[in-house]
Amino acid sequence: MAPTATAPSSQEDPNLSEVGHYVVTAHPSGAVMTAVKCSFLSPDSVDVAIAKSTRLEIRQFIQPTADNDDDDDDNDSTEQLPLLLTLPINGRITTLTSIKFKHSKKDCLFFTTERGDYALISYDETLARMNMTGTAGTKANAASANPRSSAFIGEHYPVKTHASGAFTSYSTSVMAGGRQAECGPLMAVDPLQRCVALHVYDGYVTIIPINKDYDINTNVTKGLTTGPFKDAYHARIEERTLLSMAFLETSIDYLPQLSLMHQDARGFQHVITHGVDVKAKGMVFLGSIQKEKEPSDSSSKMPAMKMPPKHDRLKISRIDGGSATLIPIPPPPSRNSSKLGGVVILGQRQVTYHSTAEGITRVVPIAPSILLSYCPVMENDGNATPNVLRFLVGDEKGKIHLLTVLRNITPEGNGDGRVTTLHFDTLGSASASSALVYLGRGRVFVGSQFGDSQLVKILETPVPVSGGGNDEKKSALDQNTYLRILEEYTNLGPIVDFDLRPCINSASSDSASRGKVHGEVGELGKARDQHRQSLVVTASGVAKDGTVRLVRNGVGMREHAAVEMTGIKGMWGLRRKFSHDDDAFLVQSFVTETRILGVQNAKDADVDAMEKEGDTDDDSEPEGGVLAEVRIPGFKSMKPTLFAGNVMVGSFDLLLQVVDDAIRLVDSETLEMVTEWTAFSGDGDDDSDDDGVPSMITVASANESGQIVVALRGGTLLYFEVNCDGSPKLQRLGVVCLDREISCINLNPFNSLTPSASESGMDIGGDRVAKKSAMVAIGLWDDFSVCLLSLRGNLINPILGQILRINLAPGGDDGNGGFSETETEHNPDDLSGSASQHMMARSLCLVTLDSLASSNNAFVNKKLSTPAMSNKVDMLLVGLGDGKLISFVVNHSESTSDGCSVHSRKEVNLGTQGIHLVPFRHAASQQSGALCPNSGAGMCVLATGDRPTVVYLTGGNGGSTSNPKLSYSTISLTAEDDDEEDGNASHRNIFVNVAAPFRSSLLFSSTTNNSSLCVADDNTMRLGMIDNIQKLHVTSYKLGMTPTKIAYHEAGRVYCVGCIGGVDGGAGGGSNSHIGGETNMGNCVRFFDDSTFEEINRIDLEPFEMILSLESVILSLYSPDSPPASSSTIEDKPFVLIGTAYAYPDEDEPTQGRVLVVECNSGDVGHVKSDTEDDNLTRYIRHVTQMPTSGGVY
């Protein structure tokens, strides 16, 4: 959808200088409608197909190994149910099941939508490989050349569609405008894969016969008349209100037996079974007699199917009221027993097993509850105990129960096999489940519509409930659980209310002078920044799954350490060896010196400290690592560092330092200097001197292959390479004098044309290879342009000869006739106007961005391990001094530097401070030669400033129909209190002057993490890890109640949440303030601190009183002596207004209500706290007044 804008009038608020509307889906639906276990991706895989509104997700269960399959596997960071495939569906999925054909080893998925559409799809490995290895343009050209090619069905998604359509499109007997089923749609599949039954319309059951001989590898047809399905038909039934249906397990001799649970006009519920005659295209009802028919083909080898004996057909009347689910039970394995199975009926007060053929009924009473979902418990090897059948059952309260069906079978296999006993045991609590899938090895996927979906593990022995405490009112079953949550999958819905909370830049509290950097526009910019950067606070969930969600835009940085350190001008991470994965040194540059921090083992550092203090009696052994100040003898510590890095040339493993008067190479083993070039000596200059005039180095850049480019005062540019003949030395290969001073340099090599990951410098299996750059990018002072200079001399372009000059102005000439595409993102809060055209480049970055950097909805194939699967785009990023970032796509040749051009200019405003660009690899995870799905592996760029931003590429990779797109996500600091059991975390904006990627397995718990950063502002240096790169991040705070309204009160720094509780008031906590003094029914307004989410207070409402509205407002206080109409007021004061209504059972519309006025004091305004005074005493929630109303206050 294209953005639309309206021109503002001259008298409008300047903050609303532009009004635009741009509607996109920022966060996909997370509510699980249904899920099914299958082998969709490969014959041996254990996959879970999950229906989430208009999306179909495929997750694969990673079988745990014997080493980590114990009760203490909480520290295992391996994702056990990764997301491998996401498919958009044109419609909301209502039912989903798997079907396996005779000639196929993989399952197909059959699903329907709420509009009566259907589809049968299967996974296509050939198309998946084509999507992962080919480009979008190649696939589009091939598709246009052969539009009927079956390889392109699914619009580049790796699936084949074998059948699709609508139920109303092929039958003339009914359904055109037919009445939709009140409790539908319902779907059931015959256990012998003979047909599918659907209840879509009242009074009818739609039967779709399955063509068992269909081969999914050769046939791709549409419609239900041919292909995977035979002619479908609608069969009329007498039962009107169907609640559930299931096919009974029978022998092949019988017709498919469809068992229906229905409700009559008086409200009684019954179960009845009919036969499905596919050949006759009809139903054989319970009391009817099947007519014997002569076979049309005497040569047919298939015997004619018949109905079971009349006295064996399943029927039961007047079952437990509130029953809603049928579970088919297979017939007894005994040869002398009936060949017709029974059913388990899940009711609200009892669970019933009934088999008419066996003539038995078994009942087990349960606590009153609504049972919503179930799944059979069977290991993936198919082995099952014949005398025991187990099912997991979930109820509306989130409890998971184990239903056990015992048969009369001895261990030797003797006995009649009849059901003797039912057991119903509670395992523990999880989210309220709409779908349960047992994956094997005790793992269960719990899909939920009202809370977060979960992956839980069933334990052999109970453990105490986390955070439950010892409550005497709770039973032992409530205090212990057999379930352990392994993973959680965020679901924002259902969102019943939301509010916006402005985010204030935390740097303002650290440095009072920072807001004055830009003069008069500082305060205005800060105020606008508060409106521009906001958190969305939502009231989500139902009952025990009720939560408050903080939805923030950007990337979170989880802080691991912070130290007060001022004046840092630059930082670089150095590895001790070039082949090492971890960094060993953190080089920090100050105005007059260089300091180096080294990673040390915490145990060794603690021993050294104790030896200095003379205390060696401590037996504790600290784990992990620490950063301590160290010294590299070969580095100049009394000079500021302009650049530092690792260099690998031939067999020489070196460290590089560039200071203002020298370039130094240091041996990585001995840390002693090997060679040095100084601007005064001219060492390494084989063909000229510097005209006898020494000059200082102002800017420097280098890469790991030994290419070094430095700029001297006066605009002189020097190009060096490390020569490895004999001993390492610096060889000057080029010099050029420019007409202006040089402001920035970058010569990172591109990796897009490299055929393998190892050649591109990626860390695969420990092989790291340095790659040379063919060009260098430079920016000049007082010049709004960037020059690309050649580093490979030829007849056309000598070394440091200009390849391309890029005018940074919008629509400027790039030296090749202009840009092919220009895109500028204007910010309505931009105060600089067109002044950015006069700002110079402060930082440059030549980088190859990978579309795998972030792909929430993209497909990642674990079978294909080469990183060349994704699209790689060579880009030039330019950071300006006013906070703007300009990007270009670079077209170039790897073999020659001729013919270089740029296009697709894009300009964004990232803040008001100068930008420094730092490339880093985010969360690269090459585990077992495979890319982990959704790992976000790829190159990204961090843009520093007052609003630090991660620049990354999305889309365009395998499974995606879109072209690569440059995306931006701001970084917010995540501060987590380890003492809190809930792990509540607060987020705040940070200011970043300098940054450097820094990886260490000793400092961070995750040894495979490549996304740890070290950032510094004016006063503080922080070390932390970047969260998953995505547009939105969600933080959840559990309420234990159903939230209905929410508002953020900025003056009191509180979240006000209106909740619906049970008879006992729901979740406790906080001080109760009983308004009216009567026992209430649990409805209340709760107040939480906006930083710690600690409950400050709670106001309970009166019986039958419901919360309809909740707002944070500013009211004017009038003097009692002056009339309200006068303009004299005492002050404007913030309050919280609560609008309620009394919902009495005998009233259709409320006739009474109230408006409550509540004052919230933040504790830090108008009060000076003493040293001994508690913080809670200075904060209060006070009920000021109330006003009755004649009706509800909406």
Side-chain angles (χ1 to χ4, degrees):
M1 180 181 297
T4 61
T6 59
S9 64
S10 60
Q11 298 180 353
E12 287 183 347
D13 188 345
N15 291 332
L16 302 177
S17 58
E18 181 180 341
V19 178
H21 303 280
Y22 187 77
V23 182
V24 294
T25 299
H27 194 281
S29 173
V32 175
M33 311 303 295
T34 183
V36 63
K37 180 181 176 182
C38 58
S39 296
F40 184 73
L41 298 179
S42 64
D44 300 327
S45 63
V46 180
D47 305 322
V48 182
I50 307 171
K52 293 185 177 181
S53 185
T54 59
R55 294 185 306 128
L56 185 61
E57 290 185 355
I58 307 297
R59 293 182 177 269
Q60 188 171 96
F61 176 55
I62 306 301
Q63 297 278 358
T65 60
D67 297 335
N68 60 6
D69 192 27
D70 51 17
D71 292 346
D72 297 328
D73 57 352
D74 292 332
N75 297 326
D76 185 15
S77 59
T78 304
E79 190 176 5
Q80 299 189 26
L81 197 62
L83 175 63
L84 297 190
L85 180 62
T86 299
L87 298 174
I89 305 299
N90 188 18
R92 298 180 183 272
I93 302 175
T94 54
T95 59
L96 175 68
T97 189
S98 62
I99 298 176
K100 178 175 287 187
F101 293 92
K102 181 170 61 176
H103 300 289
S104 174
K105 297 181 180 180
K106 296 186 299 184
D107 292 329
C108 296
L109 292 178
F110 179 77
F111 59 89
T112 63
T113 65
E114 65 180 2
R115 293 187 176 181
D117 299 324
Y118 62 87
L120 178 72
I121 62 174
S122 68
Y123 176 69
D124 189 352
E125 293 183 353
T126 303
L127 186 57
R129 291 191 179 93
M130 184 181 302
N131 286 335
M132 301 299 284
T133 57
T135 61
T138 303
K139 292 179 286 185
N141 294 335
S144 61
N146 186 12
R148 296 186 179 182
S149 174
S150 62
F152 294 93
I153 292 179
E155 296 182 355
H156 311 310
Y157 287 95
V159 294
K160 283 184 178 180
T161 303
H162 301 272
S164 63
F167 295 115
T168 59
S169 61
Y170 60 90
S171 178
T172 58
S173 58
V174 287
M175 306 307 98
R179 180 182 174 185
Q180 297 285 335
E182 181 179 353
C183 299
L186 305 175
M187 181 166 60
V189 181
D190 177 44
L192 300 178
Q193 303 284 302
R194 292 175 290 185
C195 63
V196 178
L198 297 108
H199 177 56
V200 183
Y201 305 98
D202 276 343
Y204 291 90
V205 172
T206 304
I207 304 297
I208 305 177
I210 299 176
N211 183 7
K212 290 186 177 181
D213 297 326
Y214 178 77
D215 189 355
I216 66 173
N217 298 319
T218 58
N219 299 326
V220 179
T221 56
K222 295 183 179 181
L224 293 179
T225 57
T226 58
F229 300 124
K230 299 179 182 179
D231 293 340
Y233 62 92
H234 297 286
R236 183 179 291 276
I237 57 176
E238 297 178 356
E239 296 76 23
R240 301 295 297 179
T241 304
L242 293 189
L243 304 177
S244 178
M245 66 181 185
F247 278 99
L248 300 182
E249 298 199 22
T250 64
S251 66
I252 193 65
D253 301 333
Y254 291 151
L255 291 174
Q257 300 296 303
L258 183 61
S259 183
L260 308 176
M261 179 192 297
H262 65 98
Q263 181 172 304
D264 58 22
R266 294 177 294 177
F268 297 116
Q269 297 177 357
H270 317 276
V271 177
I272 193 170
T273 303
H274 303 310
V276 178
D277 194 341
V278 175
K279 292 185 177 180
K281 294 186 177 182
M283 300 283 289
V284 181
F285 297 108
L286 178 70
S288 61
I289 301 177
Q290 184 184 17
K291 298 181 180 179
E292 297 291 339
K293 295 183 179 180
E294 295 294 334
S296 57
D297 186 4
S298 58
S299 62
S300 176
K301 298 181 181 180
M302 294 294 296
M305 291 181 291
K306 59 182 180 180
M307 285 289 291
K310 190 174 181 179
H311 60 274
D312 288 348
R313 302 176 189 178
L314 190 145
K315 180 182 179 181
I316 181 173
S317 301
R318 299 282 183 99
I319 60 177
D320 178 27
S323 300
T325 305
L326 295 176
I327 303 178
I329 301 297
S334 175
R335 295 182 179 179
N336 299 327
S337 61
S338 172
K339 298 181 180 180
L340 190 64
V343 293
V344 168
I345 305 169
L346 301 182
Q348 292 187 4
R349 297 177 180 84
Q350 66 184 30
V351 176
T352 305
Y353 170 80
H354 176 77
S355 175
T356 304
E358 300 175 10
I360 59 174
T361 300
R362 300 286 184 261
V363 177
V364 54
I366 61 174
S369 59
I370 301 176
L371 304 181
L372 302 176
S373 57
Y374 81 95
C375 70
V377 177
M378 182 176 295
E379 296 298 333
N380 299 321
D381 54 10
N383 296 329
T385 307
N387 64 328
V388 179
L389 298 176
R390 294 184 176 91
F391 300 89
L392 293 176
V393 182
D395 61 18
E396 89 284 1
K397 298 178 182 178
K399 292 185 177 181
I400 306 297
H401 311 276
L402 179 63
L403 172 62
T404 306
V405 181
L406 299 179
R407 295 180 180 274
N408 182 23
I409 300 178
T410 62
E412 294 79 14
N414 301 323
D416 56 7
R418 296 190 176 188
V419 174
T420 58
T421 310
L422 299 180
H423 291 285
F424 195 81
D425 303 309
T426 301
L427 300 179
S429 294
S431 297
S433 60
S434 58
L436 290 175
V437 179
Y438 183 78
L439 303 173
R441 306 291 289 272
R443 272 68 173 180
V444 183
F445 173 74
V446 181
S448 177
Q449 294 187 41
F450 308 112
D452 293 339
S453 299
Q454 298 169 334
L455 177 66
V456 302
K457 178 181 178 181
I458 302 177
L459 306 177
E460 295 182 357
T461 57
V463 296
V465 176
S466 176
N470 295 324
D471 191 349
E472 297 180 355
K473 296 181 180 180
K474 293 184 178 180
S475 63
L477 202 59
D478 293 332
Q479 296 182 8
N480 298 278
T481 180
Y482 286 86
L483 301 179
R484 172 178 294 158
I485 299 176
L486 302 180
E487 298 174 10
E488 286 190 309
Y489 313 100
T490 301
N491 173 28
L492 286 180
I495 299 176
V496 295
D497 194 18
F498 72 93
D499 198 1
L500 295 179
R501 171 194 167 183
C503 291
I504 300 177
N505 197 329
S506 65
S508 60
S509 60
D510 299 335
S511 177
S513 61
R514 182 170 300 144
K516 302 179 181 179
V517 173
H518 293 280
E520 296 180 355
V521 299
E523 293 300 325
L524 180 58
K526 178 181 176 181
R528 294 182 181 181
D529 183 71
Q530 292 181 7
H531 291 283
R532 186 166 58 246
Q533 293 290 320
S534 297
L535 290 177
V536 178
V537 187
T538 69
S540 305
V542 177
K544 64 176 289 293
D545 296 322
T547 56
V548 171
R549 308 291 180 111
L550 305 184
V551 184
R552 56 186 174 88
N553 181 22
V555 179
M557 177 179 175
R558 192 164 297 275
E559 182 180 287
H560 280 244
V563 60
E564 184 176 350
M565 190 173 296
T566 61
I568 300 178
K569 301 301 180 182
M571 289 191 299
W572 300 267
L574 298 180
R575 304 183 299 277
R576 184 59 186 266
K577 291 290 186 180
F578 182 81
S579 59
H580 288 178
D581 295 333
D582 290 351
D583 292 310
F585 304 106
L586 180 64
V587 180
Q588 300 169 309
S589 177
F590 296 85
V591 176
T592 59
E593 63 176 344
T594 295
R595 298 177 185 174
I596 302 174
L597 298 179
V599 179
Q600 298 180 358
N601 191 288
K603 180 180 179 181
D604 298 337
D606 189 66
V607 170
D608 295 340
M610 289 190 298
E611 289 178 352
K612 292 181 180 180
E613 298 175 0
D615 183 10
T616 58
D617 297 335
D618 191 0
D619 297 333
S620 62
E621 295 186 0
E623 298 180 356
V626 296
L627 277 176
E629 189 165 355
V630 297
R631 182 175 177 268
I632 298 179
F635 275 25
K636 280 190 174 182
S637 60
M638 300 308 295
K639 291 281 188 177
T641 298
L642 301 178
F643 184 87
N646 289 86
V647 173
M648 187 70 184
V649 180
S651 60
F652 296 103
D653 197 342
L654 307 171
L655 303 180
L656 170 67
Q657 183 194 27
V658 181
V659 294
D660 58 1
D661 61 351
I663 303 174
R664 300 168 68 94
L665 291 178
V666 177
D667 186 88
S668 63
E669 182 70 26
T670 63
L671 299 182
E672 297 290 342
M673 188 185 71
V674 177
T675 185
E676 180 183 25
W677 177 92
T678 65
F680 302 96
S681 64
D683 294 340
D685 185 0
D686 297 335
D687 48 15
S688 66
D689 55 24
D690 295 328
D691 298 331
V693 180
S695 184
M696 306 296 290
I697 301 175
T698 58
V699 187
S701 181
N703 56 35
E704 294 180 339
S705 66
Q707 293 176 299
I708 308 168
V709 177
V710 297
L712 307 181
R713 288 179 182 175
T716 302
L717 191 70
L718 302 179
Y719 169 46
F720 297 87
E721 281 192 4
V722 179
N723 194 327
C724 60
D725 294 337
S727 61
K729 64 178 181 179
L730 290 167
Q731 181 181 5
R732 200 182 77 183
L733 300 181
V735 58
V736 64
C737 294
L738 304 176
D739 55 353
R740 289 181 175 87
E741 292 280 356
I742 298 173
S743 62
C744 49
I745 306 174
N746 186 265
L747 46 72
N748 290 336
F750 289 131
N751 297 326
S752 61
L753 300 181
T754 304
S756 65
S758 61
E759 296 178 9
S760 64
M762 292 181 61
D763 184 11
I764 305 292
D767 297 331
R768 186 189 298 272
V769 179
K771 182 182 178 183
K772 286 190 174 183
S773 176
M775 66 184 70
V776 58
I778 63 170
L780 303 176
W781 288 106
D782 299 326
D783 186 77
F784 196 60
S785 64
V786 172
C787 296
L788 300 182
L789 306 183
S790 174
L791 297 181
R792 296 177 178 177
N794 52 42
L795 297 178
I796 300 178
N797 286 318
I799 292 180
L800 295 184
Q802 180 173 305
I803 305 173
L804 187 66
R805 189 181 187 90
I806 306 171
N807 189 352
L808 299 180
D813 186 13
D814 64 352
N816 289 326
F819 303 117
S820 60
E821 179 184 355
T822 299
E823 180 181 355
T824 303
E825 291 190 1
H826 296 287
N827 197 314
D829 298 320
D830 185 10
L831 302 177
S832 59
S834 61
S836 62
Q837 298 186 19
H838 306 289
M839 297 299 296
M840 287 71 69
R842 298 292 182 88
S843 180
L844 300 173
C845 184
L846 297 169
V847 64
T848 300
L849 296 182
D850 196 321
S851 60
L852 286 182
S854 178
S855 54
N856 291 337
N857 297 329
F859 170 73
V860 179
N861 191 352
K862 296 180 64 179
K863 305 297 182 181
L864 303 175
S865 59
T866 171
M869 297 178 297
S870 63
N871 285 337
K872 296 184 177 182
V873 180
D874 296 332
M875 303 202 69
L876 169 64
L877 303 181
V878 184
L880 304 184
D882 62 348
K884 283 185 170 59
L885 177 67
I886 302 177
S887 62
F888 302 91
V889 176
V890 181
N891 290 334
H892 67 100
S893 173
E894 186 74 8
S895 59
T896 177
S897 56
D898 300 337
C900 180
S901 63
V902 297
H903 62 89
S904 301
R905 179 189 187 277
K906 187 175 183 180
E907 178 182 328
V908 294
N909 185 8
L910 300 183
T912 58
Q913 302 292 322
I915 291 177
H916 180 63
L917 301 173
V918 181
F920 70 97
R921 188 171 298 280
H922 179 268
S925 55
Q926 289 83 16
Q927 298 174 357
S928 304
L931 285 173
C932 286
N934 289 341
S935 62
M939 187 64 71
C940 309
V941 176
L942 172 64
T944 66
D946 55 345
R947 196 186 304 166
T949 303
V950 176
V951 184
Y952 58 99
L953 204 65
T954 57
N957 52 332
S960 174
T961 60
S962 60
N963 293 323
K965 177 184 177 182
L966 202 61
S967 300
Y968 311 87
S969 292
T970 56
I971 290 182
S972 61
L973 190 64
T974 302
E976 183 171 346
D977 188 357
D978 295 334
D979 297 333
E980 295 290 338
E981 294 182 357
D982 295 335
N984 295 338
S986 60
H987 307 274
R988 66 180 189 272
N989 297 335
I990 60 175
F991 187 97
V992 176
N993 287 332
V994 294
F998 192 81
R999 176 186 178 183
S1000 175
S1001 57
L1002 288 176
L1003 298 179
F1004 303 101
S1005 58
S1006 177
T1007 58
T1008 60
N1009 188 280
N1010 270 9
S1011 56
S1012 51
L1013 292 176
C1014 185
V1015 299
D1017 56 18
D1018 292 342
N1019 302 312
T1020 307
M1021 185 188 74
R1022 295 181 174 91
L1023 194 64
M1025 289 193 299
I1026 296 293
D1027 293 339
N1028 291 334
I1029 292 183
Q1030 57 194 36
K1031 278 296 183 182
L1032 296 181
H1033 286 263
V1034 181
T1035 305
S1036 303
Y1037 300 97
K1038 295 184 179 181
L1039 296 174
M1041 310 172 71
T1042 302
T1044 58
K1045 293 294 179 180
I1046 190 169
Y1048 177 66
H1049 188 56
E1050 186 174 4
R1053 297 189 295 110
V1054 293
Y1055 296 115
C1056 312
V1057 186
C1059 299
I1060 299 177
V1063 177
D1064 57 350
S1071 301
N1072 293 336
S1073 177
H1074 294 274
I1075 300 177
E1078 297 183 17
T1079 303
N1080 62 81
M1081 300 181 64
N1083 298 341
C1084 60
V1085 180
R1086 302 170 68 181
F1087 299 86
F1088 299 92
D1089 183 84
D1090 63 352
S1091 297
T1092 64
F1093 213 78
E1094 177 185 0
E1095 187 168 0
I1096 301 173
N1097 207 330
R1098 165 171 162 171
I1099 296 179
D1100 293 322
L1101 302 183
E1102 295 181 354
F1104 302 104
E1105 190 174 15
M1106 306 293 293
I1107 302 172
L1108 300 183
S1109 57
L1110 186 63
E1111 291 291 338
S1112 174
V1113 299
I1114 297 179
L1115 300 180
S1116 298
L1117 302 182
Y1118 293 90
S1119 173
D1121 299 332
S1122 61
S1126 64
S1127 58
S1128 62
T1129 60
I1130 300 178
E1131 60 177 332
D1132 292 335
K1133 200 170 184 180
F1135 293 96
V1136 175
L1137 298 185
I1138 305 171
T1140 68
Y1142 291 89
Y1144 294 115
D1146 56 347
E1147 292 182 351
D1148 295 333
E1149 291 290 337
T1151 59
Q1152 300 180 39
R1154 287 194 301 170
V1155 175
L1156 307 179
V1157 182
V1158 179
E1159 181 183 4
C1160 304
N1161 185 13
S1162 62
D1164 54 2
V1165 178
H1167 180 81
V1168 179
K1169 187 183 67 172
S1170 63
D1171 296 336
T1172 59
E1173 191 173 3
D1174 189 7
D1175 287 334
N1176 293 328
L1177 298 179
T1178 64
R1179 301 191 67 177
Y1180 60 83
I1181 308 296
R1182 185 167 62 92
H1183 175 221
V1184 178
T1185 184
Q1186 66 184 32
M1187 180 184 70
T1189 61
S1190 300
V1193 182
Y1194 296 95

